[in-house]
Amino acid sequence: MNKPQILVCRAVFPETLQRLASQFDVEANQDDTLFTPVQLAAKLQGKQGAFTTGSERISAELLAACPDLKICANMAVGYNNFDVPAMTARGVWATNTPGVLTETTADFGFALMMATARRITESEHYLRAGHWKNWRFDQFAGSDVHGSTLGILGMGRIGQAIARRGALGFGMQVIYHNRSRLDAATEAECKARYVSKEALLKTADHLVLVLPYSAQAHHTIGAAELAQMKSSATLTNIARGGIVDDAALATALRSGQIAAAGLDVFEGEPKVHPDLLALSNVVLTPHIASSSTPTRLAMANLAADNLLDFFSGKTPRTSVNTVPAAA
Ligand code: 8YV
C-alpha cells in the first residue's frame, strides 16, 4: 500500500522528520523556504497531510486548490492561521499543540514583563554603547514587580501559569479578565480575582495579554484602552500580533500614557512598526515565547503524533475540529 504523502512546510528537528519519514512519504523543507500561498498550494498537490506552523495560512482558497488534503497539524497552540470552519466543511482535520508549551511560554511572559518593568534591555544597550560612566541614584529606575498588581487578559492554561508565578513567587495581587470566569477552585489555585476588563485596565501595574487571536479580538488594546491604564503601568503581549493596535501603543509609549511595553508578537510580523523600533521604553523579541529546546521539540513531536494518529485510523489527539467519519 502506498504511504500517505506529507508536506512538512518548514524546517523541523531531524528526529521529528525521521519519525514522520518512518511512516510517510515526506517532502521536507529543511532549507526553510517560506512558501507563498501559490507555492504552498503547488507543494500540497497530491499530499494528504501537512505539518504546518503559524507561517502557513490554510484558507478556503488553498483548501479548494488542494482536494487531497485530509489533515493539517500545526506546530503551535494558536491556530489563527487556519480557517477552521472551511477545513471542517472540506473534511480536513485541524490540530494544534496545547499543553506542552504552557510552562515555557509562561516563563517567557514573566521574563518579558520583568525585563520591561526593570528596563533590562534598555540599560544593556546603554552599557554596550559605552555610555555608562558612573553610578547614579535614579539610573534606569523602573517599577517593582514583587507586591504589585498583575493583570492578565486571557486566562487559559498560559494565563493561569503566569498567575501562579506572580502570586506564589512574587507576592503579586493577581486580577484577570476572560470571556468566561474560571471555576472557584482554579481561581483559588491561581490566587486570581476576576474583574471587568475596565477594572483590569485601570488597576493593573503590569498587564499581560495571553488571549487567542480571533477577528473579535482584533485591537482588543487600542488607544481607548491604553488611555484607561496607569501612566506607571507596563503592557506585555505574548498573545498574537493584531490584539494590540501597535501604532496606538507606540503613541502611548511616546507620550508617557503608559510607562513601557514588552512585545513578543506584532501586527504583520516579522515586520515591526517603525515607531516601536524608535522607542527605548519597549522590549522587543521575535516571537520566541515557546522557544526552549525541549518545548519546541515537544511541540514538533505532538504535531507529528497528530499526523501519525490520523493515518493509523485514530482520532488526532489534539484536534481543534471534528471531521465526521463520512467526510
Ligand atoms: C509558535 C505560538 O512557535 O504556539 C503558538 O501559538 O505562537 C508559538 O509557540 C508559533 O506560532 C510558530 O508556529
Side-chain angles (χ1 to χ4, degrees), residues 53-54 75-78 97 101 239-240 287 290 296 299:
T53 71
M75 182 184 151
V77 67
T97 60
L101 46 59
R240 271 291 179 274
H287 201 148
S290 67
R296 283 283 168 90
M299 292 164 69

Side-chain angles (χ1 to χ4, degrees), residues 206-221:
H206 303 292
L207 178 61
V208 182
L209 309 179
V210 211
L211 61 161
Y213 183 84
S214 63
Q216 302 86 282
H218 189 72
H219 287 186
T220 296
I221 302 293

Side-chain angles (χ1 to χ4, degrees), residues 24-43:
F24 307 130
D25 188 353
V26 173
E27 180 171 345
N29 178 17
Q30 293 301 78
D31 291 341
D32 214 23
T33 306
L34 269 182
F35 301 135
T36 63
V38 171
Q39 288 169 329
L40 182 60
K43 290 274 177 194

Side-chain angles (χ1 to χ4, degrees), residues 5-7 27 37-49 61-69:
Q5 301 209 4
I6 303 290
L7 177 69
E27 180 171 345
V38 171
Q39 288 169 329
L40 182 60
K43 290 274 177 194
L44 283 171
Q45 292 311 302
K47 305 285 192 305
Q48 290 87 46
E61 295 71 34
L62 181 106
L63 293 165
C66 305
D68 297 318
L69 201 55

